[in-house]
Amino acid sequence: MAEARRTIYMDHSATTPVRAEVLEAMQPYFAEFYGNPSSIHSVGRRAGVALAQARRTIAALIGAKPSEIIFTGCGTEGDNAALRGIALARRQATGAKRIITLPIEHKAVLYTAQDLAEHFGFDLTLVPVDGEGLVSVEALASALGDGTDVAVVSVMYANNEVGAIQPVAEIGALCKAAGVPFHTDAVQAAGKLPLNVDDLHVDAMSTSAHKFYGPKGAGFLYLRGGTPFLPYMTGGSHEGGRRAGTENVPFIVGMAKALELVEAEREQENARLRVLRDQLIGGILENVDGAMLTGSRTQRLASHASFVIRGVEAEGVLIALDLAGIAASSGSACTSGSQRPSHVLEALGVPAVDAVGGLRLSLGHSNRPEDVDYLLARLPQIVGQIKGSVPVEL
Ligand code: PLP
């Protein structure tokens, strides 16, 4: 019997496997050193020491102080905490009530900003992006004005659907000069782009461990000392009174280990993946009928390739790829079976009829050159077959 082919995983922007070293670092903190890190006794202190060490490790990796790290449960929580916590506190202090963000943000930011506008009396400014998904610093500066009426600016570091990297450091410098708090959603950037918070001029930055080979259910929010912030979760005095709730010690230990590893390998791994990504992009544009690149050629994550394929629906392509042993994504957050095109592709000006054919291939540790060869061998056939048999109706 032929040996079963391993699954080729090309959906690292959705999530990543937990690395063996990470799992090993986490293991003792489930049943051996299980204490509550807030307890006075030695069992608790053992966990408390690990928590403090993880906080120091993460802080050092991003150029922050340990007290500026707030552990969260995920990227969505960090985004909510930053927007709600900062916007409410700054309005209370100064009366500023405008929130500036991008139409291509992850829904964790976009829907939170919309919720603050709809239910909490804030005004929302969405700064448009160009056809490659990039915001211009000039457009952001003009939306910011003198900043006195702005409660918070939130601009994602890298986009999850089209991989576009925003000029975060320049925007951060603008906000700093205007005295306006600046948040970046770095969920897709962590482990792939430099995270030094002073170089980026960010006041707040959210991340999620499961995107960089850590466990699901852990993240951290960097919050610069002195940034206005109202605690969004009240209760005990955990996390400096900014996020109540007993910390998830094993997951946090794992997250710190995972960040340490990806940071150490970042440049080398990016260089390796960039070659594979460019082969994917070149091969798909050349050989797949109707394929167009979405996002920027140059300002994009080294691990990220995204397309729309004219004349097909993403779901059919993804199912056929899965049957061929390749895990990929449409890149859009549309739920399967729904025809609503991605808000990101819409903001890039991709016509709805094309946006239903989104394909995102996001690379990572497990991918080898032969994976790219295999995908490039199968995708043209798959698309050809679907185009022959499945009419797209809109
Ligand atoms: N922000 C971005 C850019 C993301 O890609 C994601 C997840 O895909 C999130 C936020 C939410 O992160 P989490 O799944 O940890 O809640």
Side-chain angles (χ1 to χ4, degrees):
M1 216 170 78
E3 203 186 317
R5 216 194 138 79
R6 77 181 168 93
T7 298
I8 293 175
Y9 186 73
M10 290 198 180
D11 200 12
H12 293 82
S13 292
T15 198
T16 56
V18 174
R19 286 174 71 150
E21 304 95 311
V22 170
L23 205 53
E24 196 187 335
M26 291 165 68
Q27 195 61 42
Y29 295 94
F30 287 102
E32 195 179 345
F33 306 125
Y34 54 83
N36 184 324
S38 301
S39 297
I40 301 280
H41 48 65
S42 56
V43 182
R45 280 207 311 274
R46 184 68 187 77
V49 166
L51 187 68
Q53 181 54 49
R55 199 183 302 280
R56 278 197 300 274
T57 300
I58 289 172
L61 288 169
I62 66 167
K65 298 188 191 80
S67 59
E68 295 174 320
I69 305 297
I70 302 173
F71 291 124
T72 63
C74 58
T76 301
E77 185 188 333
D79 287 340
N80 267 266
L83 260 73
R84 293 179 193 279
I86 296 172
L88 290 167
R90 184 157 150 87
R91 183 175 64 183
Q92 204 173 67
T94 68
K97 63 181 181 75
R98 197 151 61 88
I99 295 171
I100 299 178
T101 189
L102 305 185
I104 60 162
E105 294 288 329
H106 189 274
K107 287 176 179 173
V109 166
L110 194 59
Y111 284 12
T112 303
Q114 284 170 355
D115 181 56
L116 285 164
E118 274 169 37
H119 302 114
F120 295 85
F122 286 88
D123 299 324
L124 184 56
T125 304
L126 294 179
V127 184
V129 294
D130 65 15
E132 298 192 336
L134 299 171
V135 70
S136 80
V137 179
E138 294 72 28
L140 209 295
S142 124
L144 185 64
D146 70 2
T148 46
D149 66 332
V150 180
V152 63
V153 174
S154 183
V155 172
M156 72 197 315
Y157 198 171
N159 181 266
N160 43 307
E161 291 189 33
V162 297
I165 301 171
Q166 304 300 339
V168 165
E170 286 93 326
I171 294 169
L174 273 181
C175 293
K176 190 175 174 187
V180 174
F182 177 49
H183 165 254
T184 191
D185 172 339
V187 170
Q188 291 293 337
K192 304 185 188 108
L193 297 173
L195 289 183
N196 184 287
V197 292
D198 287 341
D199 292 348
L200 294 174
H201 305 294
V202 293
D203 299 303
M205 179 171 80
S206 30
T207 68
S208 184
H210 74 96
K211 307 286 188 183
F212 53 85
Y213 306 93
K216 293 165 190 63
F220 68 88
L221 171 67
Y222 160 76
L223 185 69
R224 189 178 293 278
T227 307
F229 187 78
L230 273 183
Y232 58 105
M233 205 131 105
T234 47
S237 59
H238 314 85
E239 300 303 295
R242 295 163 301 186
R243 197 269 196 186
T246 301
E247 292 89 350
N248 187 342
V249 178
F251 282 36
I252 290 166
V253 167
M255 171 165 64
K257 182 71 185 173
L259 192 63
E260 215 173 5
L261 292 169
V262 284
E263 275 298 300
E265 297 163 359
R266 178 160 51 80
E267 285 181 21
Q268 210 181 344
E269 182 66 350
N270 275 345
R272 186 183 79 84
L273 294 181
R274 197 170 286 119
V275 173
L276 300 185
R277 176 201 71 183
D278 289 344
Q279 281 166 0
L280 269 180
I281 293 178
I284 289 177
L285 293 182
E286 198 169 312
N287 300 312
V288 176
D289 182 31
M292 292 171 291
L293 188 71
T294 52
S296 165
R297 271 264 179 192
T298 52
Q299 298 301 106
R300 79 181 302 137
L301 293 171
S303 53
H304 195 290
S306 58
F307 310 86
V308 288
I309 305 174
R310 204 166 251 168
V312 296
E313 285 177 29
E315 209 174 326
V317 176
L318 297 181
I319 291 168
L321 281 173
D322 193 34
L323 289 172
I326 301 165
S329 153
S330 66
S332 83
C334 64
T335 40
S336 91
S338 120
Q339 283 289 303
R340 175 123 182 76
S342 128
H343 70 283
V344 174
L345 295 182
E346 208 170 8
L348 265 64
V350 177
V353 68
D354 294 333
V356 295
L359 175 67
R360 178 183 71 184
L361 302 167
S362 47
L363 304 170
H365 281 181
S366 63
N367 295 126
R368 298 285 168 265
E370 52 272 28
D371 297 353
V372 172
D373 296 341
Y374 180 69
L375 180 121
L376 291 177
R378 298 305 306 269
L379 188 62
Q381 290 172 343
I382 287 172
V383 169
Q385 276 165 4
I386 292 177
K387 281 194 176 179
S389 62
V390 183
V392 176
E393 286 173 24
L394 270 184

